Amino acid sequence: MAVPDSVDPAAWLAEQIRQGDPGFYRWLKGAAARLARRQADEQLAERMRRIHAEHDGTYGAPRMTAELRAAGMRVNHKRVERLMREHGIAGLHLRKKVRTTIPEPDTAPVADLLQRDFTAERPNTRYVGDITYLPAGGGRFLYLATVVDLYSRRLAGWSIADHMRTELVVDALQAAAQTRGGRLDGAVFHSDNGAQYCSQEFTRACRQLGVTRSRGAVGTSADNAAAESFNASLKRETLQGTHGWPDARTARLAVFGWITRYNTIRHSRLGQLSPIDYEKTADNLKPAA
């Protein structure tokens, strides 16, 4: 129920009271709840605007939802989509995309153990990973595989190569294990359904390192939004609006420098601590098992 635009609000209210319309009284009773919802939406929209600005206007609804959930907010992706639409908050749509997720048929199903909850209560318990391409001049690409700890958002492991063979993601996972003392016992690693993550070679590597695998639904980027968000930030901040690096060496140096800074500089979402320092605030860095 709403006051018609052409009617004086005071006169309309008096008429509704005179008629004793039950619908009016139900509408009136819910006024406080509607006001609270509007205020909550405005506060959330303002926070979304800040996140959107911090990430140079690149975040769409999936990454925005992941960012909010990573900050501890319980938000529904449909609400995020609605508020972004209502407030004119739109992500960046790339005109050209290199496909890095190629599903491998006839693989054994692996459950989604995260269900879009991209948080962790302590380090070395829940990780996400993905592959992204790095334009390296002359139409050539390098490929970066990442392993991100959901507690601190620390990049615990990574690997760069000029191919997307399974060894790329295995090397990244093994690098994360070295960061954590050699093994990842009991930790969950979540990925998309790319052929590399579905391969028997990667399955063996997870088993050897004590990792429990988790995968999102096929063709649903939101199920791995935290990993995609990390890779998008890396590329945006290293490329700074350019289309690529002049050569592979320059690309490698830029990415290496960014990763070193990222893990050691202060982040607002971590209370102005670096990911490495934030992990020190946990009771102890113990194996996940």
Side-chain angles (χ1 to χ4, degrees):
M1 182 178 292
V3 181
D5 293 336
S6 59
V7 176
D8 176 66
W12 178 84
L13 180 61
E15 180 61 21
Q16 299 304 313
I17 294 174
R18 186 186 67 79
Q19 292 180 2
D21 182 0
F24 166 73
Y25 287 102
R26 286 194 298 270
W27 174 82
L28 190 63
K29 187 177 180 179
R34 289 193 301 276
L35 177 61
R37 283 195 298 270
R38 283 197 300 271
Q39 291 175 337
D41 279 353
E42 286 297 329
Q43 292 173 357
L44 180 57
E46 178 57 32
R47 185 162 189 169
M48 289 163 59
R49 276 191 286 265
R50 290 199 299 270
I51 292 172
H52 195 250
E54 288 173 0
H55 294 84
D56 298 333
T58 60
Y59 275 15
R63 288 172 181 158
M64 183 68 73
T65 304
E67 189 81 10
L68 292 168
R69 288 176 177 172
M73 299 187 66
R74 299 176 64 87
V75 290
N76 184 284
H77 70 281
K78 292 183 179 179
R79 183 185 180 196
V80 172
E81 290 172 356
R82 174 177 60 82
L83 289 176
M84 289 185 71
R85 184 172 58 252
E86 292 176 356
H87 291 266
I89 304 171
L92 176 66
H93 297 280
L94 299 178
R95 286 177 290 180
K96 182 179 180 181
K97 184 176 182 180
V98 174
R99 191 180 184 199
T100 55
T101 300
I102 305 171
E104 182 174 274
D106 302 325
T107 56
V110 172
D112 183 348
L113 302 180
L114 297 192
Q115 295 295 316
R116 303 187 184 182
D117 176 13
F118 302 114
T119 61
E121 294 183 356
R122 56 194 177 94
N124 197 27
T125 56
R126 305 175 95 198
Y127 294 91
V128 293
D130 195 15
I131 301 173
T132 193
Y133 72 95
L134 306 171
R140 296 185 298 273
F141 295 94
L142 295 176
Y143 299 92
L144 170 69
T146 52
V147 180
V148 179
D149 190 308
L150 287 176
Y151 175 77
S152 61
R153 296 304 174 97
R154 177 181 183 177
L155 184 61
W158 58 283
S159 179
I160 293 181
D162 59 0
H163 61 79
M164 287 197 297
R165 295 191 295 271
T166 301
E167 64 190 80
L168 175 70
V169 297
V170 170
D171 287 349
L173 191 65
Q174 290 174 338
Q178 290 303 312
T179 298
R180 298 311 192 195
R183 287 182 61 83
L184 300 169
D185 288 318
V188 171
F189 176 79
H190 182 83
S191 70
D192 60 24
N193 284 272
Q196 301 86 351
Y197 295 113
C198 296
S199 67
Q200 293 183 2
E201 183 182 348
F202 186 73
T203 301
R204 285 194 297 270
C206 288
R207 188 182 304 118
Q208 291 167 0
L209 295 171
V211 171
T212 299
R213 292 177 298 150
S214 171
R215 293 205 298 262
V218 175
T220 307
S221 62
D223 287 351
N224 202 27
E228 292 197 1
S229 172
F230 178 90
N231 288 343
S233 294
L234 183 154
K235 290 169 68 174
R236 183 184 63 253
E237 294 176 16
T238 51
L239 286 170
Q240 297 183 349
T242 63
H243 295 293
W245 293 276
D247 51 57
R249 181 177 182 276
T250 304
R252 289 176 182 271
L253 289 174
V255 170
F256 179 77
W258 185 91
I259 289 171
T260 302
R261 292 192 301 274
Y262 172 86
N263 277 337
T264 57
I265 64 172
R266 300 174 187 272
H267 294 259
S268 59
R269 73 158 70 95
L270 301 178
Q272 298 304 326
L273 294 173
S274 71
I276 291 175
D277 287 338
Y278 186 72
E279 288 186 349
K280 296 176 184 177
T281 66
D283 293 338
N284 284 294
L285 184 57
K286 301 176 181 177

